[in-house]
Amino acid sequence: DIDALPALDLGEALQAVPGVQIERSGEGRQSEISLRGLGGGFVKTTSAGQSFATPSRSFDDVGSSNPFAAFEASVFDGVTVVKSPTADMQAGGIAGIVDKQLQRALAKPDGKYNISVGGRYEDLTQHWDESVKLSMSKHLIKDELAVAFKVAGSGQTFRRDTANFTNYAPLIGDAHGELDSNLRVNSETIDAYRAKYGIPEDAAIRSPSSIRNVTEYSEGDRISFTGNIEWRPTSDMTIGAHLLYTKRDLDSGTKQDAQFSAGYNQNKPQNSDRFYMIEPDMNTAPFIYDSLEDGTPVYAVSKTAITDGEYLFTNRETTFFEEAKGLFLYGDYVVGDWTFDAMLTHSESENKFQNIGLDFRHTGHHLATTKVNGVNVDTVPTGIDIQLDSAQGDLSQAFVNAQGWDNYNYDVDWQSPTALTAQSLTTADALNDGRRLSHYITGRVDNPVREMSTGEFDAKRYVDFGFGDGFMFGAVKFGVRYSREVLENFDQAVSAAGVNADAVGSFTISDALVSDGQTEFFNGNFPGTFGANSGWKTIDNLSHITALQDGMADIEGGIKAGETGFYEVFTGPHPQKYATNFDVEQTISSAYFMTDIYGDIGNVPWRGNVGMRYVYTNND
């Protein structure tokens, strides 16, 4: 009974099936799944055995994953997870098929009504999310005409805390400074550390160079509905219609993020900050945390001191909207040993994702001189010192301390960029001794819209012949199906161009963290981390967005990014996300033939099937 499971959504309920894992790294509790170790893009999601327009985000014309969090689990009669699809099933599920089963009214008891009112307590937010479920089935004409429906709704409150020590940087001393032209000497004491602990000369030594705290919070509501009407004009024929609707609207959300780091660029080491240094704690022994392909060990040191590091804090206003609806018309007919069934469907879906990120970055640069607001300025050290200890993953013992982050002046001469390629306002003001300080305005708007229509016809003949008891044919089945899906994807990134520079200053910064008045960050399991008084600052996004757009400049050729109010960011002459703005029409025509087989080998019964399927797919 899927409704009896203590699940937050349909994806959580699927965890009860062996081989299904929930993908938890995505934003907003999407409950996308992986099956047999493959991601959701390899899983075919169907409703009543038919392809359905999923309310998922899309970055190319194929391979989107279904967000199961968009559906209330209780409106379905169950879910079938098929790990080894047969020829008569929908194509496209390399990992398998997840079929959401829809109720059939004539199979339901007459005059059954059920209402359930409940709630779910979210421990991190200290908030109760209400839920309501209602179902009904009624035979209008006994065993001939019936209707049934299920509707469920719930409040949606979500908070997730993340703390991680990342971005492992190689520690390079004078003795190894010439090994890689992309790396520089970044530690004065690593050679002595290597000698003290007897680390081989050819072994690399690394340390975490970044500590990051994140709290993601969102709230909204979700409602789902399934309905069915079914008519049996004769004992051999049944026709009916399914309705399916779901909507999840997380219209309020934020992501508060703060980070201290060394300024090491893991992807392009040559672009790392030119002044940072990392010194290992001489009293903390190293450990082997990795090895190279040739077996050479890679050592790590968990406790270090960073000088002239970098500091960032940000707040991202994030909203999600997912909606899907569909109509399924079907008919079944039985005559003699034959059964025939057909189905026509039409479904539509939309996903709206919006993210506006505002942050302050206190950074150095890899170049000795850079141009800031049209003037060449020398790169100077940041003056930010960081002591961190990852305690090899034991958060109860891990800690971070930082100094120098709180002596920056934010009330400086900010200048609004006019180039559509700009994503920040940057200064190197004398009030900050020439140190680089930037205010970034970033974000994204993604809005895929889908329409899908399908048709299918199947025929099955029950047979009983074979080659003795060892090999028998039980049934033969064949059919054809056709589907057409149209996807339009609108994708834009946010620019800082034309914003009101007078809206940037110390008054922008706030100490109000999401965890204030709720459960302590990371449930109190990371007592050594930094908080509002020791570096975790944030921004009141809604008021700051309004101020940035007050008197915003008109820029020729500028395009507003969705409903954000900011200009879309460009890369050269075209929008940065132009490659993920597209429309595609996908048609799939297929036919199949299969037969059920069974028999006995000695006293051991066996059964299986053999089939073949032809599929033609065209993306236009």
Side-chain angles (χ1 to χ4, degrees), residues 1-8 13 16 73-78 116 133 150:
D1 184 358
I2 193 171
D3 195 21
L5 295 173
L8 300 174
S74 61
V75 301
F76 299 103
D77 258 21
S116 172
K133 304 173 185 177
K150 296 181 181 181

Side-chain angles (χ1 to χ4, degrees), residues 48-51 88-90 329 331 341-345 454-458 477 479-482 592:
Q50 301 298 308
S51 296
D88 61 333
M89 296 180 180
Q90 298 285 339
L329 303 176
D341 61 79
M343 184 173 287
L344 297 173
T345 78
T454 72
E456 179 176 339
F457 173 80
D458 303 289
K477 186 177 182 181
V480 294
R481 59 173 59 101
Y482 175 82
Y592 72 91

Side-chain angles (χ1 to χ4, degrees), residues 119-238:
R120 180 181 67 248
Y121 184 71
E122 291 276 353
D123 186 55
L124 280 179
T125 64
Q126 299 182 1
H127 183 272
W128 279 95
D129 285 340
E130 69 286 350
S131 64
V132 178
K133 304 173 185 177
L134 175 65
S135 64
M136 180 274 287
S137 60
K138 178 64 177 175
H139 289 215
L140 304 177
I141 302 176
K142 183 176 176 58
D143 297 329
E144 183 177 332
L145 179 64
V147 295
F149 74 84
K150 296 181 181 181
V151 61
S154 63
Q156 297 287 294
T157 303
F158 169 72
R159 174 179 153 195
R160 177 172 58 196
D161 295 341
T162 303
N164 52 35
F165 292 85
T166 58
N167 208 18
Y168 277 69
L171 304 188
I172 310 296
D174 291 330
H176 297 80
E178 303 299 327
L179 293 181
D180 190 333
S181 61
N182 289 325
L183 299 172
R184 66 170 178 82
V185 172
N186 64 356
S187 178
E188 295 178 348
T189 58
I190 191 61
D191 292 335
Y193 184 85
R194 182 187 294 271
K196 178 177 180 179
Y197 291 100
I199 299 174
E201 288 297 315
D202 61 343
I205 306 176
R206 299 176 184 173
S207 74
S209 66
S210 173
I211 169 63
R212 182 183 182 193
N213 287 349
V214 182
T215 291
E216 178 187 350
Y217 175 82
S218 58
E219 62 181 31
D221 55 63
R222 179 180 62 206
I223 185 169
S224 299
F225 170 86
T226 59
N228 176 256
I229 181 170
E230 202 165 41
W231 179 41
R232 185 177 293 146
T234 71
S235 60
D236 300 327
M237 178 182 293
T238 303

